[in-house]
Amino acid sequence: MTISVPAAATANEDDLKLDIVNPKNLYDPSPNGYSTAVIVPRQGRLAYISGQGGQDSTGALSPDFAVQVKQAYANLRTALDALGARPDQVAKLTVFVVDHDMSKLEVLTKNVKDMFGASLPAQTLIPVPKLAIDPMLFEVEATVVLE
């Protein structure tokens, strides 16, 4: 069986823009730092960024949740930069929070809004009892559309 792949067309930046969808008949999630759905353009290539924790460049982890979250998003930004991507190219985030409770939502929302502004990706928060390294309290992974 032979599969034919069409030749790639040159796409401009608008062709690769993510389409954010927040249906009017559903709860508006944007105040909480995410969108209901994001449509990836047909011409886009996807990259998957592994979970980024709150370790600094030496591997040290603060015991403070807010410090770890801020560092994890800085690490995510570094990974995006390495791919030549911007935050508005992130289609989906999955965040893992150790011992999640409602008090942590404000920290999470602030960091997402600081990084993504109005281009809020789709996002899922998964409460977990622990992560790969015991002192880790937070981890974020991303699906990115590359130009």
Side-chain angles (χ1 to χ4, degrees):
M1 171 194 254
T2 302
I3 298 174
S4 127
V5 178
T10 303
N12 65 40
E13 190 171 312
D14 287 338
D15 292 337
L16 295 174
K17 190 170 186 278
L18 299 175
D19 188 9
I20 294 173
V21 180
N22 286 313
K24 298 293 182 210
N25 57 340
L26 289 178
Y27 166 78
D28 180 10
S30 57
N32 295 319
Y34 67 98
S35 295
T36 300
V38 176
I39 300 170
V40 174
R42 182 174 286 132
Q43 302 87 343
R45 291 183 317 143
L46 294 180
Y48 301 92
I49 297 176
S50 295
Q52 299 299 305
Q55 299 95 328
D56 65 17
S57 61
T58 68
L61 279 162
S62 168
D64 184 84
F65 178 76
V67 172
Q68 283 196 30
V69 172
K70 184 174 183 173
Q71 183 63 53
Y73 279 101
N75 295 344
L76 177 59
R77 183 60 194 246
T78 299
L80 288 171
D81 291 346
L83 295 173
R86 302 176 311 274
D88 67 353
Q89 292 172 256
V90 174
K92 172 76 166 69
L93 294 174
T94 303
V95 298
F96 303 89
V97 179
V98 172
D99 298 328
H100 174 65
D101 64 45
M102 296 305 284
S103 70
K104 294 178 179 176
L105 284 178
E106 185 177 337
V107 171
L108 298 172
T109 300
K110 179 190 180 320
N111 280 274
V112 168
K113 287 183 171 185
D114 286 351
M115 183 166 180
F116 295 97
S119 299
L120 296 169
Q123 183 173 190
T124 300
L125 184 154
I126 302 173
V128 295
K130 65 184 281 184
L131 290 163
I133 301 168
D134 283 338
M136 282 180 72
L137 302 173
F138 177 79
E139 190 171 10
V140 56
E141 64 182 32
T143 302
V144 184
V145 177
L146 300 177
E147 296 181 341

